[in-house]
Amino acid sequence: MASPNRRQFFQHLAATGFAASATISGTKSSGQVIGANDRVRVAIAGINGRGQVHMGVFGAMKNVEITHLVDPDSRLFASRSAAVQRLTGKKPKCVQDIREVLDDQSVDAVSIATPNHWHALMTIWACQAGKDVYVEKPCSHNISEGRRMVEAAQKFNRIVQHGTQWRSDPKWQTYTTDIRDGKYGKLQTANIQIFRPRKSIGIQNPVPPPRELDYELWTGPAPMNPYRTNLVHYRWHWMWDYGDGEIANLGAHEFEMARWAMPETANPKSVVSLGGRYGYEDQADTPNTQLTLYDFGDTKLVCQQRGLHFDKPLKMSIDFHTDEGRIQEGKFYPHGKEQGEVIEGAPPSGLPQDYARDHFQNFIDCVRSRKSEDLASDVLDGHRTAILAHLGNISYRLGDQTSFRNDPQQLSESPIASESFEAMKHHLVDVAGVNLAKASYRIGRSLQFDATTETFVDSPEANQLLGGNNRPGFD
């Protein structure tokens, strides 16, 4: 690749006398409070999908300027820059390489909506360059790089917000605080359901990438695979080299909300995940049907996801089961009662509201104040949430195929997980027409996890999946 890697980039800056300002004090936000009337200058990286929300929210804020749009696909530049200009009256500069932005001392923050495999590296680079960061969920592509993100934010005193905007819903904060404090009994199980129809990505042969797309740069730290039209854009989510499946996509939101209802010190001690890809054959890697059980000691977490495109419409839910009853859709159902008691002030849907504008504003407010403790969801929150998704995927990937005639004994300690497995089988029969007598599922390995060291206990194979090997030039 013609452009330098990060180390070479800063060596060049050092030679020209700019290294110190770029790595530590390159922006007016580096260590000093910004006044309410001072303009915060933001570069947005990744402008195809979620990045357009970033453009709309930041563009509507007072004293916030979108200075750059960054994306390896230059086909997006004309329409996206025109949209920002219509909204703000100013046309941003469009570049393909984030490293051009990091050399601009006037840029205060980078807002990241790229594919997952770029989240950590771009965040770390931005912290090194003295920029604050808003990074979409999941914050990382693997556990090891997530920890490095936390360390970079701390080392360079950066404001790093995780893009789980539900965290900014004040009703949900009160709701989960009451659950955590035992108002409805001792929490035993948090039960997550993510039912989101997803179409097959099909099967496509390798072709040359479009000339407007810098595919080398899009690939970045990931392995260099042949370009296919069912990869860029969005469908990378279902490929291990770039994404982490639905468990880390929509799952990141629900994991973070479920964690909020648990004791602050709660950490996963073990995990087992099972499932498969059903209903069609395509080139995706990740399961479209997955069931994962986490053991936190006193509390368990069950995550069930379904993604067949001919399924019912989107359904996302989080139910909480205590030793006194069930909390579901804003109501408390005491044991033995069919009528739920309405929880005053609770979200009626049982899910938080989309407080995206407040979440982005919280980030800008903290950029101004330099108070990272005021972030609604800081990088450590994001890292702890992403760990849950990565644990489930690692268990799944290390699993073996088994017949549906074999019930997963690993779920036997959780009635809710066992019931979810039965529901999953009925779903596959009713919706996808799967013949369970001939079909199989992947039963993941039961893994013990040490949250203090963020490593697996007595599982070298699992520990090998804690991190990735970035390509040269992207380290």
Side-chain angles (χ1 to χ4, degrees), residues 225-263:
N225 298 313
Y227 173 81
R228 300 194 314 264
T229 56
N230 61 356
L231 180 60
V232 182
H233 293 278
Y234 196 81
R235 287 167 288 190
W236 51 264
H237 272 293
W238 326 125
M239 314 294 290
W240 293 127
D241 285 339
Y242 319 104
D244 304 274
E246 199 73 270
I247 195 172
N249 186 39
L250 294 179
H253 289 296
E254 300 208 28
F255 281 139
E256 186 134 313
M257 297 303 100
R259 282 186 47 244
W260 225 0
M262 296 181 181

Side-chain angles (χ1 to χ4, degrees), residues 117-175:
H117 70 286
W118 260 110
H119 287 185
L121 185 60
M122 200 171 287
T123 296
I124 293 168
W125 281 1
C127 288
Q128 291 174 336
K131 319 296 184 189
D132 296 318
V133 178
Y134 183 105
V135 58
E136 278 295 342
K137 51 77 190 168
C139 76
S140 63
H141 189 45
N142 60 61
I143 292 176
S144 294
E145 69 180 21
R147 173 51 57 182
R148 292 197 295 272
M149 294 170 73
V150 175
E151 293 170 350
Q154 294 172 343
K155 178 178 180 180
F156 296 100
N157 193 27
R158 294 295 92 206
I159 302 296
V160 181
Q161 175 88 299
H162 183 224
T164 42
Q165 66 272 12
W166 286 354
R167 272 277 193 166
S168 290
D169 182 349
K171 290 184 178 180
W172 189 263
Q173 183 173 5
T174 301
Y175 184 60

